[in-house]
């Protein structure tokens, strides 16, 4: 197991421990942890000792309800020392490592586009990454931002879609079909990659392959909602929930025995 894989496993354990204390967005947090592990260990230019380093790359979690997954990764990296139970369910200003507050879905891509354009205007060699949910792409503001980013040829902007195929109301293709998703991004002028969203090496390689270009890029990461917890995997009823004692024991055992 690589250091990045171990980081992801420990981050999942943190999420599971929190879910035994209160109801959280469990499924969405677990599905994006491998993407986060790849970004923080292989992609983002950052200074571990200075989370606010002025030249750092930026990460916007547009899929705000996955916040506890992000908090768990930041805690494993030593950026966050606060008890996760004390942190809000969506990224908020003032939390170390959080670049932008996100709450209502569909706004993160617009924020990231503005940050990418701002970096260019300021002459900064900075890249901006944004993680969106797939159900979140129902929001029209995403496609307005996609059009804006392509028009301004924001080659320093990369989106990652957490494609777990579920949203709160159910299967994304039954709620409001997204496919052919890759073709839609291409039609808006974006470069597109696809990968297994739980293979950290493949995620890193795919993101590196998208670096070279003068137009925005998107990586569609095919993931499993609730990844790592057997009874939650692919089950939309675990979009949000609290683990009872038996469920907690099963979840911890699954994450421990895969070490």
């Amino acid at each position: 197991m690589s250091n990045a894989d171990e980081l992801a496993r420990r981050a999942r354990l943190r999420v599971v421990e929190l879910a035994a204390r209160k109801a959280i967005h469990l499924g969405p947090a677990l599905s994006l942890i491998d993407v986060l592990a790849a970004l923080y260990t292989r992609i983002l230019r950052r200074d571990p000792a200075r989370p606010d380093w002025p030249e750092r790359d930026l990460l916007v979690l547009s899929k705000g309800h996955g916040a506890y997954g992000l908090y768990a990764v930041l805690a494993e990296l030593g950026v966050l020392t606060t008890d996760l139970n004390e942190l809000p369910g969506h990224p908020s200003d003032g939390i170390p490592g959080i670049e932008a507050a996100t709450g209502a879905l569909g706004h993160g891509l617009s924020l990231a586009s503005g940050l990418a354009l701002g970096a260019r205007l300021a002459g900064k060699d900075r890249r901006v990454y944004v993680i969106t949910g797939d159900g979140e792409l129902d929001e029209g503001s995403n496609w307005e931002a996609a059009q804006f980013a392509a028009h301004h040829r924001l080659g320093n902007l990369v989106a990652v879609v957490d494609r777990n195929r579920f949203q709160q109301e159910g299967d994304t293709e039954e709620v409001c079909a997204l496919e052919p998703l890759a073709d839609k991004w291409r039609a808006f002028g974006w470069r597109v990659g696809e990968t297994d969203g739980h293979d950290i090496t493949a995620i890193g390689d795919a993101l590196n392959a998208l670096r070279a270009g003068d137009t925005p890029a998107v990586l569609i990461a095919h993931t499993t909602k609730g990844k790592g917890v057997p009874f939650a995997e692919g089950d939309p009823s675990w979009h949000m929930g609290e683990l009872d004692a038996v469920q907690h024991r099963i979840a911890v055992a699954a994450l421990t025995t895969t070490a």
Side-chain angles (χ1 to χ4, degrees):
M1 180 179 289
S2 70
N3 289 339
D5 288 320
E6 176 62 10
L7 182 152
R9 186 186 70 84
R10 293 196 310 264
R12 284 193 168 91
L13 278 169
R14 284 182 181 266
V15 172
V16 162
E17 291 301 324
L18 182 62
R21 300 168 67 184
K22 67 179 182 181
I24 65 170
H25 285 101
L26 181 67
L30 294 174
S31 68
L32 58 72
I33 282 179
D34 296 308
V35 169
L36 290 166
L39 282 163
Y40 277 99
T41 62
R42 295 196 55 189
I43 302 299
L44 293 173
R45 187 179 62 173
R46 64 190 190 90
D47 182 345
R50 291 190 296 161
D52 58 349
W53 178 46
E55 302 306 314
R56 70 191 181 280
D57 289 339
L58 303 178
L59 172 64
V60 175
L61 181 62
S62 185
K63 177 187 166 175
H65 53 288
Y68 288 115
L70 176 55
Y71 296 156
V73 169
L74 291 174
E76 286 298 324
L77 293 170
V79 176
L80 268 179
T81 57
T82 308
D83 182 348
L84 299 193
N85 191 48
E86 298 176 9
L87 297 175
H90 286 258
S92 297
D93 293 330
I95 299 173
I98 300 302
E99 302 291 359
T102 54
L105 294 175
H107 294 174
L109 188 58
S110 296
L111 284 168
S113 297
L115 290 168
L117 180 58
R120 176 198 290 171
L121 294 174
K124 289 185 176 291
D125 182 22
R126 158 183 281 172
R127 301 184 72 80
V128 181
Y129 295 84
V130 55
I131 300 175
T132 78
D134 48 5
E136 178 181 5
L137 297 180
D138 292 353
E139 302 285 353
S141 54
N142 287 292
W143 302 105
E144 180 181 357
Q147 180 173 284
F148 173 92
H151 174 78
H152 288 283
R153 303 188 70 83
L154 298 180
N156 60 337
L157 175 65
V158 179
V160 181
V161 178
D162 182 0
R163 185 70 171 114
N164 63 39
R165 304 189 72 88
F166 284 106
Q167 56 196 96
Q168 185 170 2
E169 296 84 0
D171 189 307
T172 58
E173 300 312 286
E174 295 177 3
V175 176
C176 188
L178 292 172
E179 295 298 338
L181 184 56
D183 289 341
K184 288 176 180 175
W185 283 102
R186 291 189 185 100
F188 273 80
W190 286 55
R191 294 173 292 122
V192 180
E194 296 192 59
T195 194
D196 177 348
H198 298 303
D199 183 330
I200 293 174
T201 298
I203 296 165
D205 289 347
L207 287 170
N208 278 322
L210 290 172
R211 288 181 65 89
D214 62 355
T215 55
V218 59
L219 178 64
I220 300 173
H222 296 280
T223 63
T224 300
K225 195 157 189 165
K227 179 66 175 179
V229 175
F231 57 82
E233 287 188 351
D235 184 348
S237 69
W238 281 102
H239 180 81
M240 186 169 187
E242 182 175 1
L243 301 177
D244 62 28
V246 173
Q247 292 165 337
H248 174 247
R249 185 166 59 250
I250 292 170
V252 169
L255 291 167
T256 302
T257 56
T258 57

